[in-house]
């Protein structure tokens, strides 16, 4: 990361050799290839690490009985902090690598990889089970939607459109929660079509 930061992420990743990375890390080239098939996989590893940390945050936040709004705020604040500590160009390149080659996202046997959506789905499932959110929509779908919205906020932050990543996350979470609650209210008001004819 230091080499790439010094050289700039726009060209530094391509211009830095595996030999240089291994030398700076104090390992052999063989050791590098034991852990990474490609130097770009280092970026993917950073993304997976961030996703794992987010899941740990979600699990810890759900240990209490906090409302879903507070849990999501805690989760998204931690995620924004982690991402903001990384240069924007590195985050952008990580997203590009993640979407560029899905084949390289495959995992080794016994190794589990997951994105942000799993953490969000866990939060939504817990909120539905505890009655804090209506269960009109599957928690996994809600997790996917929040995950997509989160990546959208990160992309806007990278581009400088939204300079405060935590605020961008909070806005999207508030919109989604309002939609979920509105959907729950709407479905509660619907008349069962079969009962209309009885």
């Amino acid at each position: 990361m230091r080499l790439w930061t010094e050289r700039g992420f726009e060209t530094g990743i391509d211009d830095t050799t595996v030999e240089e990375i291994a030398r700076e890390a104090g390992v052999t080239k063989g050791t590098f290839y034991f852990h990474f098939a490609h130097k770009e996989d280092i970026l993917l590893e950073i993304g997976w690490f961030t996703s794992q940390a987010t899941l740990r945050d979600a699990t810890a936040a759900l240990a209490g009985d906090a409302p879903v709004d507070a849990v999501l705020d805690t989760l998204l604040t931690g995620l924004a902090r982690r991402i903001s500590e990384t240069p924007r160009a590195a985050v952008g390149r990580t997203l590009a690598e993640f979407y560029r080659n899905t084949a390289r996202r495959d995992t080794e046997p016994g190794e589990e990889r997951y994105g942000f959506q799993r953490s969000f789905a866990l939060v939504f499932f817990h909120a539905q089970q505890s009655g804090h959110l209506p269960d009109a929509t599957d928690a996994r779908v809600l997790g996917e939607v929040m995950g997509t919205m989160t990546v959208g906020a990160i992309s806007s932050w990278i581009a400088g459109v939204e300079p405060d990543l935590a605020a961008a996350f909070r806005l999207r979470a508030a919109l989604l929660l309002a939609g979920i609650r509105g959907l729950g209210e709407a479905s509660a008001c619907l008349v069962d079509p079969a009962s209309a004819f009885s």
Side-chain angles (χ1 to χ4, degrees):
M1 288 297 289
R2 184 177 57 76
L3 286 173
W4 292 342
T5 301
E6 289 171 357
R7 295 174 184 188
F9 283 89
E10 292 77 13
T11 60
I13 293 172
D14 298 325
D15 294 344
T16 306
T17 66
V18 169
E19 290 83 0
E20 289 175 303
I21 295 169
R23 185 172 50 249
E24 288 293 316
V27 299
T28 66
K29 188 175 172 183
T31 300
F32 176 90
Y33 281 117
F34 178 77
H35 293 284
F36 302 103
H38 310 275
K39 61 186 172 184
E40 293 84 1
D41 290 347
I42 295 169
L43 294 169
L44 296 177
E45 194 63 32
I46 293 167
W48 293 127
F49 175 79
T50 303
S51 294
Q52 290 169 345
T54 302
L55 183 61
R56 285 193 303 272
D57 287 351
T59 304
L62 291 173
D65 194 28
V68 64
D69 304 70
V71 171
L72 275 177
D73 187 65
T74 299
L75 198 63
L76 293 170
T77 299
L79 180 58
R81 179 184 45 76
R82 282 187 193 93
I83 291 172
S84 297
E85 291 171 351
T86 306
R88 287 178 199 230
V91 177
R93 184 68 188 259
T94 300
L95 283 180
E97 287 299 323
F98 188 79
Y99 289 109
R100 186 174 68 95
N101 191 339
T102 56
R104 291 206 341 247
R105 290 189 301 189
D106 293 341
T107 60
E108 296 295 323
E111 183 179 32
E112 190 171 9
R113 300 290 197 192
Y114 40 82
F116 302 129
Q117 66 271 12
R118 180 171 177 182
S119 301
F120 297 132
L122 179 65
V123 170
F124 291 127
F125 179 77
H126 185 270
Q128 289 174 336
Q129 294 297 306
S130 62
H132 290 128
L133 281 180
D135 60 359
T137 305
D138 189 301
R140 287 174 295 183
V141 172
L142 297 175
E144 289 173 11
V145 171
M146 189 69 225
T148 300
M149 293 171 78
T150 299
V151 171
I154 294 169
S155 295
S156 293
W157 173 78
I158 291 166
V161 175
E162 295 185 78
D164 186 340
L165 185 57
F169 285 162
R170 284 188 193 102
L171 172 63
R172 285 158 175 80
L175 291 170
L176 181 57
L177 288 171
I180 295 167
R181 290 177 174 126
L183 182 62
E185 291 170 10
S187 65
C189 295
L190 291 177
V191 176
D192 179 9
S195 66
F197 297 103
S198 41

